[in-house]
Amino acid sequence: SMTTRAGVGMSLNHSPNVAGREGGEKALKKAGVNEPDFVFMFASAGYDQHSLLRAVRDTTGGAPLSGCSGAGTIGGDEADESNFSVVVMAISSDELWWTNGLATGLSADSRAVGQLVADTLSSDVDADAVGLLVFLDAWTANVDQFLAGLEGDLPSDRFLPIWGAATPDNAMVQSYQYCDDEVVSDGVAYALLLGEAKASWAIGMSYIPIAGERTVTRSEGNVIYEIDGKPALEVLQEYLPDPALADDWRRFILTFALCFRAPSYMKDEEHTFRTIASLNKADGSITLQTEVQEGTSVWFSIRDKDKTITGLDLMADRIKQELGGDQPKLVFHFDCLARGKTMFPDQERLRLLRQFRQAIGPEAPWAGFYSAGEIGPVGEHNCYHNYTAVVLALS
């Protein structure tokens, strides 16, 4: 019979060489394999990335590898948001196989990078393709444009689900994407999954709108200049009356967001949320990671602990229902950094993670990271989300 053996190992050692070896060895031991077929690796940005990657590759026998840095890592019942943590998932399987790759240049033209990835994969995307995992640089990617380029150039005879996340680093300066021996920034690492697997996934929300509907009256691309005929920054200051808002937006970036009416295919959600990436004092504009048309309705919104906790239960129910009694073979978990330690004290956060994992598959190899923008399909639409968790179970 077909089997998949996998294991996840975590290390918090500050030495990249020790941490990479420890994470890799624990993963192999849990999987019960010496030579895995494929490896996923997620790590914090505090390490020398090349040394860390080399140590993981040496330990896992040079198996093909995909992954990225994050604002923290998730491995089984543990989650860590320090500058030093690495999670390694080692997979050995005769029913699942992966095609991995890397592309750079998102800041110059995210759509072109999406097209490049699609063209590279087009010969592999056949009836066996289960879905695609992507890890992109959060600070340089226009994720909507990347997805448009990718999907526009993929064979379109059937829907290919895409999951993943945009990768931040702890200081919001630089993030890293991994493929085999390579470490890049401004890039996307990807892994196409082929074979015999059923994918079950869910998306958890954590924000709520807190005020009345407003209208974008002047915008260009991803910059909003005016809302209801006033400078966007001025409107923001009605809700956050802090004169230094534009000087230190970092302090608010995880707490406040803009909210839009969800597209009609999102049956369970009324709104989608977008990070306000930056404010411009000179012209009073707001910049998002995504394009905004003039005439669009917007709401001001804040994150909500209760919605986050309720959302975890809804996600667990949905994934369990889709698994239909099967145990997941692998679980990937991409969680917005706004839902981590800045929202929950450590003990509560770990308790919620354990409870969530218990509901879905306490034995399943489980790995992921804290992100700055998540990707997961709603219906037959691959969507970019902010302030969410995307969890994927493969059975």
Side-chain angles (χ1 to χ4, degrees):
S1 72
M2 304 291 240
T3 55
T4 295
R5 291 187 298 175
V8 172
M10 187 185 224
S11 176
L12 308 181
N13 196 292
H14 286 213
S15 152
N17 299 328
V18 175
R21 193 174 66 238
E22 254 181 24
E25 282 171 357
K26 285 181 187 169
L28 293 176
K29 191 174 172 202
K30 284 198 182 132
V33 300
N34 295 328
E35 293 189 1
D37 300 318
F38 201 83
V39 172
F40 283 95
M41 161 183 167
F42 306 115
S44 305
Y47 293 109
D48 174 80
Q49 300 287 309
H50 288 94
S51 305
L52 181 68
L53 179 61
R54 200 174 311 122
V56 170
R57 294 272 288 160
D58 286 349
T59 310
T60 53
L65 178 147
S66 184
C68 61
S69 65
T73 62
I74 300 168
D77 283 342
E78 298 304 321
D80 183 88
E81 288 173 83
S82 71
N83 269 321
F84 297 96
S85 71
V86 57
V87 159
V88 178
M89 178 189 267
I91 305 163
S92 172
S93 178
D94 55 13
E95 56 193 341
L96 309 175
W97 49 100
W98 307 82
T99 302
N100 63 324
L102 193 64
T104 56
L106 290 165
S107 52
D109 191 341
S110 291
R111 182 183 281 265
V113 176
Q115 288 167 332
L116 177 70
V117 172
D119 297 344
T120 309
L121 288 174
S122 59
S123 60
D124 294 309
V125 178
D126 57 19
D128 272 349
V130 178
L132 179 67
L133 283 166
V134 294
F135 312 116
L136 316 98
D137 191 319
W139 306 114
T140 62
N142 180 322
V143 182
D144 289 320
Q145 287 286 333
F146 169 80
L147 287 173
L150 178 61
E151 293 197 279
D153 275 33
L154 280 173
S156 59
D157 49 342
R158 66 184 194 96
F159 174 68
L160 182 75
I162 301 171
W163 310 277
T167 71
D169 84 327
N170 296 10
M172 302 192 177
V173 184
Q174 195 175 13
S175 77
Y176 306 94
Q177 297 77 46
Y178 318 132
C179 175
D180 297 346
D181 286 322
E182 281 185 89
V183 178
V184 299
S185 292
D186 189 31
V188 53
Y190 58 87
L192 178 70
L193 171 60
L194 305 150
E196 296 293 317
K198 184 175 153 224
S200 309
W201 68 91
I203 296 152
M205 301 285 178
S206 54
Y207 272 62
I208 53 170
I210 55 162
E213 185 177 335
R214 313 289 294 246
T215 307
V216 174
T217 46
R218 192 160 80 80
S219 67
E220 202 179 311
N222 60 339
V223 182
I224 300 175
Y225 291 99
E226 289 179 9
I227 294 173
D228 293 338
K230 293 184 236 169
L233 178 55
E234 211 174 284
V235 174
L236 200 56
Q237 280 169 324
E238 292 173 25
Y239 301 106
L240 277 172
D242 185 330
L245 211 53
D247 302 322
D248 191 14
W249 180 243
R250 288 271 159 85
R251 276 191 311 157
F252 303 99
I253 200 166
L254 298 182
T255 319
F256 299 95
L258 275 188
C259 161
F260 298 88
R261 192 174 278 122
S264 56
Y265 57 77
M266 286 198 180
K267 306 274 188 284
D268 303 334
E269 283 299 326
E270 287 171 43
H271 301 101
T272 57
F273 302 89
R274 284 289 178 257
T275 306
I276 298 170
S278 62
L279 310 177
N280 183 332
K281 210 158 52 172
D283 62 10
S285 68
I286 290 178
T287 299
L288 307 180
Q289 283 178 309
T290 188
E291 271 95 74
V292 187
Q293 307 288 326
E294 289 178 4
T296 302
S297 299
V298 291
W299 288 261
F300 194 63
S301 64
I302 58 167
R303 61 179 176 179
D304 182 77
K305 225 171 158 169
D306 292 336
K307 185 168 185 178
T308 307
I309 294 170
T310 316
L312 288 170
D313 292 337
L314 293 170
M315 288 172 83
D317 290 346
R318 182 179 167 152
I319 291 174
K320 267 199 306 209
Q321 199 178 343
E322 289 199 2
L323 284 168
D326 290 337
Q327 280 306 301
K329 291 167 182 171
L330 301 172
V331 178
F332 294 94
H333 181 169
F334 312 120
D335 215 324
C336 177
L337 60 91
R339 299 161 52 96
K341 65 181 178 188
T342 61
M343 190 186 275
F344 299 107
D346 271 355
Q347 276 173 304
E348 187 181 4
R349 193 176 45 127
L350 291 173
R351 183 179 60 75
L352 288 167
L353 175 61
R354 285 182 187 143
Q355 200 176 309
F356 181 57
R357 208 173 155 226
Q358 207 64 38
I360 292 172
E363 299 304 309
W366 185 297
F369 63 94
Y370 285 96
S371 51
E374 299 74 46
I375 296 168
V378 177
E380 297 221 329
H381 299 264
N382 288 310
C383 302
Y384 176 49
H385 314 271
N386 286 148
Y387 307 113
T388 60
V390 170
V391 174
L392 163 67
L394 298 173
S395 58

